[in-house]
Amino acid sequence: MPSSPGNGTQDVTSQLEQLRKVTKVVADTGDMSAMKTFKPEDATTNPSLLLKAAGIPEYAQYIDEAVKWAKEQGSDRAQQLVDAGDRLAVLVGREILKIVPGYVSTEVDARLSFDEEASIAKAKRLIGMYKDVGVDPKRVLIKLASTWEGIKAAEKLQKEGINCNMTLLFSFEQAVACAEAGAFLISPFVGRIFDWYVANTDTKTYAPQEDPGVKSVRRIYDYYKTHGYKTVVMGASFRNIGQIQALAGCDRLTISPDLLKQLDETDADLPLALKDNGQKAEPPKEKLTEAKFRWGHNEDAMATDKLAEGIRKFAVDQRKLEELLGAKL
């Protein structure tokens, strides 16, 4: 609550406002009304969020527009489903960019996660579609799964000026490979890492600083800053505000509307948890070959499980979205 005038104390601001001063706040949602409420810098979407948003009445017009456009492209039903899905993602992205001042992230179909060339083709198609609806491609981040193939696709796309957001990132090998590839941004999944440890170990609760997802992001952040990597670290997939508080100062954090609301309603002091102050992390790793990447990632049971599961879940939601669109075709 604001202090009374003249009482000698400073106004107390919410933790959300305090967080904005040290970290770029990103909305992890497709709900535009939530973005208008919380005013994030950027927004991220994925098939799961688009599927959820498709149930919001204000999205009906974009679904109808995407279906109409897909029908105009040809009569092949399978291609119509692909076209409608891509068009919907772009139309939603365009509307989001009318609200946020920064970037929107749009995801490449998870079913292409192990196909480098198809991922590149899809990324270029999405960028072209954004141009067609009047959006500057510089405001779009293409989301790719952090598989070896996705990382190699990002490396080529970055060289062509298409910025990439590397998602489904769980292992340190993934983070190092993404930085070496020159990816614009990575999204380590804090909450899903936490979920795995709760499900697969005897420890069921963690202090925020000891949370395995938080520790993973801190390790990556320190490594990037120590060794001069420019790739942006954006913590993602949070389960509680304690995880967010423990990462205050990270480059970016993408946060769901319910957790943004909790932060906005909390007015305790928010200490800076991460800072780039010349700290020394572990020595640089040898450049990762495909074999070293796959072995190192494979050695991390959590990362192996969660990457595979994440790709499957996004693919399921993409198919559900296509079913919704198909019913209108």
Side-chain angles (χ1 to χ4, degrees), residues 6-306:
N7 66 2
T9 61
Q10 292 183 328
D11 287 353
V12 176
T13 58
S14 74
Q15 287 200 340
L16 180 57
E17 290 309 309
Q18 293 177 65
L19 184 64
R20 290 188 206 277
K21 294 176 181 177
V22 295
T23 291
K24 286 191 175 179
V25 173
V26 181
D28 193 10
T29 182
D31 184 347
M32 287 181 267
S33 64
M35 294 176 211
K36 291 173 183 174
T37 299
F38 295 110
K39 300 178 174 57
E41 181 81 14
D42 309 326
T44 57
T45 65
N46 60 46
S48 304
L49 294 174
L50 285 175
L51 181 65
K52 187 175 179 181
I56 300 172
E58 67 182 290
Y59 279 75
Q61 60 181 308
Y62 308 122
I63 293 171
D64 291 342
E65 187 179 339
V67 168
K68 180 176 180 290
W69 183 84
K71 286 179 177 178
E72 292 169 353
Q73 305 312 301
S75 58
D76 180 271
R77 183 172 173 79
Q79 188 59 46
Q80 284 180 340
L81 287 174
V82 173
D83 289 344
D86 288 349
R87 190 71 170 187
L88 177 62
V90 168
L91 291 174
V92 170
R94 179 192 66 188
E95 296 308 306
I96 287 171
L97 287 173
K98 293 177 182 178
I99 302 169
V100 304
Y103 299 100
V104 67
S105 292
T106 297
E107 191 141 350
V108 165
D109 190 329
R111 292 168 292 189
L112 303 179
S113 296
F114 304 104
D115 190 330
E116 178 184 335
E117 294 307 318
S119 293
I120 291 170
K122 176 69 82 174
K124 290 181 177 180
R125 182 174 202 250
L126 290 168
I127 289 294
M129 290 173 75
Y130 268 109
K131 287 181 182 175
D132 291 343
V133 298
V135 171
D136 181 354
K138 295 295 183 187
R139 297 191 66 197
V140 178
L141 302 183
I142 294 295
K143 286 179 83 173
L144 295 157
S146 299
T147 57
W148 178 258
E149 294 81 4
I151 294 166
K152 291 291 109 179
E155 187 169 26
K156 292 178 180 177
L157 290 165
Q158 288 288 161
K159 289 175 180 175
E160 295 187 34
I162 297 174
N163 284 328
C164 298
N165 171 351
M166 305 309 296
T167 189
L168 294 172
L169 193 145
F170 303 99
S171 72
F172 192 64
E173 278 70 23
Q174 286 175 297
V176 172
C178 287
E180 288 180 350
F184 178 80
L185 180 148
I186 62 166
S187 297
F189 274 34
V190 176
R192 294 195 194 186
I193 294 173
F194 166 81
D195 293 345
W196 189 92
Y197 279 91
V198 168
N200 292 278
T201 71
D202 293 334
T203 305
K204 304 305 177 187
T205 59
Y206 293 90
Q209 298 292 348
E210 296 305 313
D211 184 297
V214 169
K215 290 170 75 173
S216 174
V217 175
R218 292 178 69 97
R219 181 187 181 195
I220 293 165
Y221 179 90
D222 287 348
Y223 187 83
Y224 279 17
K225 303 310 176 188
T226 296
H227 301 300
Y229 289 114
K230 301 302 182 187
T231 299
V232 173
V233 181
M234 182 173 76
S237 168
F238 293 104
R239 297 293 178 258
N240 54 67
I241 63 169
Q243 293 171 332
I244 297 165
Q245 293 161 342
L247 291 173
C250 193
D251 299 331
R252 283 172 167 83
L253 297 175
T254 181
I255 306 169
S256 64
D258 61 325
L259 294 179
L260 287 171
K261 185 171 185 290
Q262 287 184 43
L263 288 166
D264 200 35
E265 293 173 348
T266 303
D267 59 10
D269 185 47
L270 181 67
L272 184 65
L274 298 186
K275 51 183 177 284
D276 178 12
N277 59 357
Q279 66 271 44
K280 290 288 183 269
E282 56 209 275
K285 296 175 80 72
E286 290 182 29
K287 185 164 178 63
L288 286 175
T289 62
E290 181 177 355
K292 287 177 181 175
F293 169 85
R294 292 193 185 281
W295 178 253
H297 181 74
N298 187 71
E299 284 287 272
D300 187 333
M302 174 278 296
T304 304
D305 289 352
K306 297 309 284 187

